[in-house]
Amino acid sequence: MNRKLASAGAILACAAVAAGCGSSGGGSTGGSTVAGVGNNAKTVTPDMAKNAKGNVTWCIGKDTTGAFAQVVKLYNAQGQAHVKLLELPTSADQQRSQLEQREQAKSPECDVLGMDVIWTAEFAAQGWLRDVTPAIQARASEFIPSTVNTAKINGKDWAIPFNTNAGFLYYNTSKVHQAPTTWQQAFQVAKSSGGLGIQGARYEGLTVNFLEMLYSNGGSVLSSDGKKATIDSPQAQQVLTFLQQGVKNGAIPKSASTWMEEESRNAWQSGKVALLRNWPYVYALAKQAHVKFNLEPLPKWQGGSSASVLGGYNLGISTYSKNPGGALSFINFATGPAAQKKFFIKSSLPAVLTQTYNDPAVKKAQPFAPQLLTAVQQGKPRPVSPVYTQISEAIYKNVYSALWNGESPSTALKNAQNQITKALQTF
């Protein structure tokens, strides 16, 4: 495979897990509360990583660009603990399933767990993760704060941010000459210039699109203690009504009912729509396609504040690891400045460290780095809950019904509220 194709493959692999790549929250900025998390957990301290020895196995999704293997090689060259990369399938669902099987069996095979940010609460609630609060506190000033909050539950940190992602608004500059600053402006422009591409299919991406507007309008999905559903609110009613009207008046094309990340990108790149909500991976592909465009962090709800939903992966240390100190030593290396720079440039995996975005080599390779840093800083996690999968399903199924099947927003939100309440009662 030549370099260009390999690069495109890496970009599309990122798109395939964009809800994670690009792929978590309750709208909180200070972590979340989940009953039972933290009881009797083992803690890993920075001192345990000093003079690390022994073997460490890093379990994470497929290394599509070779960057994971390179970082492992660099770490092993230091002569401390020896790390082995265990590649899991490309599919996020299969990665999660394989990690869950090992943890349920109390297997010590995986010392370092590569987890989509939306899995972290479930893994912590099951007692599969060690408390890494002291390790985060020792490096707190290095991380973009919003990324740390994807793994902060009950005031403790259950994983260390590894990569992140946030949505952008792309606009075709031959049709739109200035980026809209509010969603209301964006829909007005879309009506007169060919439409706005969203991820409108019945899946996780629709949850993300809805939450970005809901958070910007001051709404939430769960109460601050994580025990009650709060989605049936005036803020959510405004957002869902606005989206439904956007479909009716043509701001959102009806064909978006089947669009995921790639379908919406293709519609925008081919000129079918003028505006696009999507992840950073679109940048390189649009450049290759010679599209005249620009991008900005997502608009805000009129009268609200900008909000993007964070994606990405966290690295946790398994409760059953026999070498937690070695695991932390490697995680500190993989989330350190040199490795984060390599991942961002080579694999288009956005960094979790603020300083990486100011690196001249990063800016040259990823010219949108300043806008992405702003988007990540404004980012919020998806609802941090052990039953996130059921919560997301309740959101996208009912939002879809309102947008494409004519369900009234009030009925859709009542249904979502009831389904989320039932999901919370199962854990």
Side-chain angles (χ1 to χ4, degrees), residues 93-402:
D93 287 342
Q94 291 181 21
Q95 292 170 30
R96 174 181 171 180
S97 176
Q98 292 198 11
L99 288 177
E100 287 179 342
Q101 288 171 10
R102 288 174 169 87
E103 295 306 305
Q104 286 168 347
K106 300 183 179 180
S107 167
E109 181 178 19
C110 296
D111 299 283
V112 179
L113 307 178
M115 305 173 292
D116 188 310
V117 292
I118 60 177
W119 308 339
T120 307
E122 177 195 353
F123 279 47
Q126 294 287 2
W128 297 337
L129 298 177
R130 293 179 185 245
D131 177 2
V132 294
T133 305
I136 285 286
Q137 289 176 338
R139 300 179 54 202
S141 62
E142 300 177 33
F143 294 103
I144 303 170
S146 59
T147 66
V148 175
N149 286 334
T150 64
K152 187 180 289 295
I153 304 168
N154 298 353
K156 293 184 177 180
D157 300 287
W158 298 96
I160 295 175
F162 177 51
N163 61 62
T164 186
N165 224 337
F168 278 139
L169 183 71
Y170 295 85
Y171 57 102
N172 187 321
T173 52
S174 65
K175 299 179 179 179
V176 179
H177 304 297
Q178 187 172 358
T181 58
T182 67
W183 283 114
Q184 284 74 12
Q185 289 177 3
F187 274 50
Q188 197 64 38
V189 170
K191 274 198 305 182
S192 60
S193 61
L196 166 69
I198 67 167
Q199 290 78 60
R202 198 166 177 262
Y203 81 119
E204 175 70 16
L206 183 56
T207 294
V208 171
N209 281 228
F210 176 74
L211 291 182
E212 286 168 341
M213 287 193 193
L214 178 65
Y215 291 167
S216 183
N217 192 29
S220 61
V221 175
L222 300 178
S223 58
S224 57
D225 62 6
K227 295 180 178 178
K228 294 180 181 177
T230 57
I231 196 168
D232 188 11
S233 65
Q235 294 91 341
Q237 179 82 28
Q238 290 173 347
V239 169
L240 195 50
T241 301
F242 175 74
L243 283 165
Q244 191 180 60
Q245 290 173 343
V247 171
K248 290 178 179 176
N249 64 29
I252 300 173
K254 289 186 169 51
S255 51
S257 65
T258 61
W259 289 356
M260 296 187 182
E261 280 77 9
E262 277 299 274
E263 290 84 358
S264 59
R265 177 181 70 82
N266 288 328
W268 176 71
Q269 275 193 199
S270 63
K272 291 180 180 176
V273 295
L275 300 140
L276 172 68
R277 180 264 165 232
N278 213 319
W279 303 100
Y281 83 95
V282 170
Y283 181 91
L285 294 174
K287 283 292 184 185
Q288 290 175 16
H290 304 294
V291 178
K292 294 180 179 178
F293 73 99
N294 209 339
L295 61 80
E296 292 293 342
L298 295 177
K300 62 182 180 181
W301 188 265
Q302 190 170 323
S305 55
S306 297
S308 183
V309 170
L310 293 178
Y313 271 62
N314 293 326
L315 299 181
I317 300 177
S318 171
T319 294
Y320 308 111
S321 169
K322 293 182 177 178
N323 191 2
L328 179 60
S329 173
F330 172 68
I331 292 175
N332 283 338
F333 184 83
T335 59
Q340 287 287 297
K341 177 180 175 180
K342 182 175 286 293
F343 289 135
F344 203 174
I345 292 175
K346 185 174 176 62
S347 303
S348 298
L349 293 176
V352 295
L353 305 183
T354 304
Q355 74 174 75
T356 307
Y357 292 81
N358 297 319
D359 188 292
V362 169
K363 287 182 175 179
K364 183 179 180 181
Q366 312 288 7
F368 56 85
Q371 292 101 318
L372 181 56
L373 176 59
T374 299
V376 173
Q377 288 171 329
Q378 296 171 346
K380 298 180 185 300
R382 278 165 272 183
V384 178
S385 170
V387 291
Y388 174 75
T389 301
Q390 295 95 312
I391 291 172
S392 177
E393 187 174 320
I395 294 172
Y396 68 69
K397 281 184 175 179
N398 289 291
V399 170
Y400 187 93
S401 291

